[in-house]
PDB file of all heavy atoms in Angstrom:
ATOM      1  N   LYS A 118      34.226  15.536 -24.189  1.00 94.00           N
ATOM      2  CA  LYS A 118      35.200  15.403 -23.080  1.00 94.00           C
ATOM      3  C   LYS A 118      35.472  13.902 -22.844  1.00 94.00           C
ATOM      4  O   LYS A 118      36.607  13.514 -22.596  1.00 94.00           O
ATOM      5  CB  LYS A 118      34.649  16.007 -21.802  1.00 94.00           C
ATOM      6  CG  LYS A 118      34.765  17.508 -21.715  1.00 94.00           C
ATOM      7  CD  LYS A 118      36.130  17.925 -21.267  1.00 94.00           C
ATOM      8  CE  LYS A 118      36.266  19.439 -21.245  1.00 94.00           C
ATOM      9  NZ  LYS A 118      37.621  19.883 -21.014  1.00 94.00           N
ATOM     10  N   ILE A 119      34.414  13.106 -22.868  1.00 94.00           N
ATOM     11  CA  ILE A 119      34.570  11.683 -22.557  1.00 94.00           C
ATOM     12  C   ILE A 119      35.185  10.935 -23.721  1.00 94.00           C
ATOM     13  O   ILE A 119      36.065  10.097 -23.548  1.00 94.00           O
ATOM     14  CB  ILE A 119      33.212  11.087 -22.127  1.00 94.00           C
ATOM     15  CG1 ILE A 119      32.732  11.690 -20.799  1.00 94.00           C
ATOM     16  CG2 ILE A 119      33.272   9.585 -22.064  1.00 94.00           C
ATOM     17  CD1 ILE A 119      31.351  11.269 -20.352  1.00 94.00           C
ATOM     18  N   LEU A 120      34.643  11.211 -24.940  1.00 93.00           N
ATOM     19  CA  LEU A 120      35.043  10.405 -26.091  1.00 93.00           C
ATOM     20  C   LEU A 120      36.229  11.002 -26.866  1.00 93.00           C
ATOM     21  O   LEU A 120      36.837  10.324 -27.680  1.00 93.00           O
ATOM     22  CB  LEU A 120      33.868  10.257 -27.047  1.00 93.00           C
ATOM     23  CG  LEU A 120      32.625   9.620 -26.414  1.00 93.00           C
ATOM     24  CD1 LEU A 120      31.420   9.669 -27.366  1.00 93.00           C
ATOM     25  CD2 LEU A 120      32.889   8.153 -26.002  1.00 93.00           C
ATOM     26  N   GLY A 121      36.529  12.269 -26.605  1.00 90.00           N
ATOM     27  CA  GLY A 121      37.714  12.902 -27.196  1.00 90.00           C
ATOM     28  C   GLY A 121      37.534  13.316 -28.646  1.00 90.00           C
ATOM     29  O   GLY A 121      38.506  13.609 -29.310  1.00 90.00           O
ATOM     30  N   SER A 122      36.351  13.317 -29.181  1.00 85.00           N
ATOM     31  CA  SER A 122      36.140  13.739 -30.568  1.00 85.00           C
ATOM     32  C   SER A 122      34.721  14.258 -30.720  1.00 85.00           C
ATOM     33  O   SER A 122      33.883  14.075 -29.846  1.00 85.00           O
ATOM     34  CB  SER A 122      36.377  12.572 -31.498  1.00 85.00           C
ATOM     35  OG  SER A 122      35.418  11.562 -31.251  1.00 85.00           O
ATOM     36  N   VAL A 123      34.459  14.888 -31.881  1.00 79.00           N
ATOM     37  CA  VAL A 123      33.125  15.383 -32.134  1.00 79.00           C
ATOM     38  C   VAL A 123      32.174  14.184 -32.198  1.00 79.00           C
ATOM     39  O   VAL A 123      32.536  13.137 -32.758  1.00 79.00           O
ATOM     40  CB  VAL A 123      33.084  16.157 -33.500  1.00 79.00           C
ATOM     41  CG1 VAL A 123      31.692  16.603 -33.837  1.00 79.00           C
ATOM     42  CG2 VAL A 123      34.011  17.370 -33.395  1.00 79.00           C
ATOM     43  N   SER A 124      30.996  14.341 -31.620  1.00 77.00           N
ATOM     44  CA  SER A 124      30.179  13.161 -31.355  1.00 77.00           C
ATOM     45  C   SER A 124      28.952  13.106 -32.258  1.00 77.00           C
ATOM     46  O   SER A 124      28.373  14.122 -32.614  1.00 77.00           O
ATOM     47  CB  SER A 124      29.674  13.257 -29.900  1.00 77.00           C
ATOM     48  OG  SER A 124      30.767  13.495 -29.034  1.00 77.00           O
ATOM     49  N   SER A 125      28.584  11.902 -32.585  1.00 90.00           N
ATOM     50  CA  SER A 125      27.347  11.652 -33.341  1.00 90.00           C
ATOM     51  C   SER A 125      26.142  11.668 -32.398  1.00 90.00           C
ATOM     52  O   SER A 125      26.318  11.632 -31.204  1.00 90.00           O
ATOM     53  CB  SER A 125      27.445  10.304 -34.042  1.00 90.00           C
ATOM     54  OG  SER A 125      27.463   9.275 -33.082  1.00 90.00           O
ATOM     55  N   GLU A 126      24.963  11.650 -32.982  1.00 90.00           N
ATOM     56  CA  GLU A 126      23.733  11.557 -32.168  1.00 90.00           C
ATOM     57  C   GLU A 126      23.770  10.297 -31.305  1.00 90.00           C
ATOM     58  O   GLU A 126      23.322  10.297 -30.159  1.00 90.00           O
ATOM     59  CB  GLU A 126      22.472  11.509 -33.098  1.00 90.00           C
ATOM     60  CG  GLU A 126      22.216  12.771 -33.846  1.00 90.00           C
ATOM     61  CD  GLU A 126      21.658  13.905 -32.996  1.00 90.00           C
ATOM     62  OE1 GLU A 126      20.833  13.614 -32.114  1.00 90.00           O
ATOM     63  OE2 GLU A 126      22.054  15.069 -33.203  1.00 90.00           O
ATOM     64  N   GLN A 127      24.251   9.237 -31.900  1.00 91.00           N
ATOM     65  CA  GLN A 127      24.334   7.959 -31.165  1.00 91.00           C
ATOM     66  C   GLN A 127      25.254   8.077 -29.991  1.00 91.00           C
ATOM     67  O   GLN A 127      24.991   7.552 -28.911  1.00 91.00           O
ATOM     68  CB  GLN A 127      24.818   6.861 -32.136  1.00 91.00           C
ATOM     69  CG  GLN A 127      24.877   5.468 -31.537  1.00 91.00           C
ATOM     70  CD  GLN A 127      23.500   4.958 -31.128  1.00 91.00           C
ATOM     71  OE1 GLN A 127      22.553   5.086 -31.865  1.00 91.00           O
ATOM     72  NE2 GLN A 127      23.404   4.364 -29.947  1.00 91.00           N
ATOM     73  N   ASP A 128      26.423   8.759 -30.177  1.00 92.00           N
ATOM     74  CA  ASP A 128      27.352   8.970 -29.091  1.00 92.00           C
ATOM     75  C   ASP A 128      26.687   9.760 -27.953  1.00 92.00           C
ATOM     76  O   ASP A 128      26.825   9.403 -26.751  1.00 92.00           O
ATOM     77  CB  ASP A 128      28.573   9.783 -29.559  1.00 92.00           C
ATOM     78  CG  ASP A 128      29.510   8.978 -30.481  1.00 92.00           C
ATOM     79  OD1 ASP A 128      29.444   7.752 -30.433  1.00 92.00           O
ATOM     80  OD2 ASP A 128      30.267   9.624 -31.230  1.00 92.00           O
ATOM     81  N   LEU A 129      25.960  10.811 -28.309  1.00 94.00           N
ATOM     82  CA  LEU A 129      25.285  11.650 -27.296  1.00 94.00           C
ATOM     83  C   LEU A 129      24.326  10.769 -26.482  1.00 94.00           C
ATOM     84  O   LEU A 129      24.276  10.819 -25.249  1.00 94.00           O
ATOM     85  CB  LEU A 129      24.444  12.759 -27.917  1.00 94.00           C
ATOM     86  CG  LEU A 129      25.158  13.872 -28.686  1.00 94.00           C
ATOM     87  CD1 LEU A 129      24.242  15.072 -28.860  1.00 94.00           C
ATOM     88  CD2 LEU A 129      26.428  14.299 -27.960  1.00 94.00           C
ATOM     89  N   SER A 130      23.566   9.994 -27.196  1.00 94.00           N
ATOM     90  CA  SER A 130      22.588   9.126 -26.566  1.00 94.00           C
ATOM     91  C   SER A 130      23.261   8.100 -25.642  1.00 94.00           C
ATOM     92  O   SER A 130      22.822   7.870 -24.509  1.00 94.00           O
ATOM     93  CB  SER A 130      21.784   8.431 -27.685  1.00 94.00           C
ATOM     94  OG  SER A 130      20.962   7.436 -27.202  1.00 94.00           O
ATOM     95  N   ASP A 131      24.375   7.531 -26.113  1.00 95.00           N
ATOM     96  CA  ASP A 131      25.090   6.542 -25.259  1.00 95.00           C
ATOM     97  C   ASP A 131      25.685   7.193 -24.032  1.00 95.00           C
ATOM     98  O   ASP A 131      25.652   6.591 -22.927  1.00 95.00           O
ATOM     99  CB  ASP A 131      26.200   5.883 -26.105  1.00 95.00           C
ATOM    100  CG  ASP A 131      25.678   4.923 -27.147  1.00 95.00           C
ATOM    101  OD1 ASP A 131      24.467   4.593 -27.123  1.00 95.00           O
ATOM    102  OD2 ASP A 131      26.441   4.526 -28.043  1.00 95.00           O
ATOM    103  N   VAL A 132      26.237   8.351 -24.186  1.00 96.00           N
ATOM    104  CA  VAL A 132      26.867   9.064 -23.061  1.00 96.00           C
ATOM    105  C   VAL A 132      25.802   9.432 -22.022  1.00 96.00           C
ATOM    106  O   VAL A 132      25.959   9.246 -20.811  1.00 96.00           O
ATOM    107  CB  VAL A 132      27.670  10.281 -23.521  1.00 96.00           C
ATOM    108  CG1 VAL A 132      27.974  11.234 -22.352  1.00 96.00           C
ATOM    109  CG2 VAL A 132      28.975   9.834 -24.173  1.00 96.00           C
ATOM    110  N   VAL A 133      24.651   9.979 -22.497  1.00 97.00           N
ATOM    111  CA  VAL A 133      23.591  10.339 -21.580  1.00 97.00           C
ATOM    112  C   VAL A 133      23.048   9.098 -20.851  1.00 97.00           C
ATOM    113  O   VAL A 133      22.770   9.124 -19.650  1.00 97.00           O
ATOM    114  CB  VAL A 133      22.461  11.110 -22.317  1.00 97.00           C
ATOM    115  CG1 VAL A 133      21.186  11.212 -21.493  1.00 97.00           C
ATOM    116  CG2 VAL A 133      22.975  12.515 -22.692  1.00 97.00           C
ATOM    117  N   ALA A 134      22.898   7.995 -21.603  1.00 97.00           N
ATOM    118  CA  ALA A 134      22.438   6.752 -20.953  1.00 97.00           C
ATOM    119  C   ALA A 134      23.410   6.303 -19.884  1.00 97.00           C
ATOM    120  O   ALA A 134      22.992   5.922 -18.756  1.00 97.00           O
ATOM    121  CB  ALA A 134      22.255   5.656 -22.005  1.00 97.00           C
TER     122      ALA A 134
END
Side-chain angles (χ1 to χ4, degrees):
Chain A
K118 281 278 177 189
I119 293 176
L120 302 172
S122 62
V123 177
S124 309
S125 67
E126 292 287 322
Q127 183 63 44
D128 289 339
L129 296 196
S130 170
D131 288 348
V132 164
V133 166

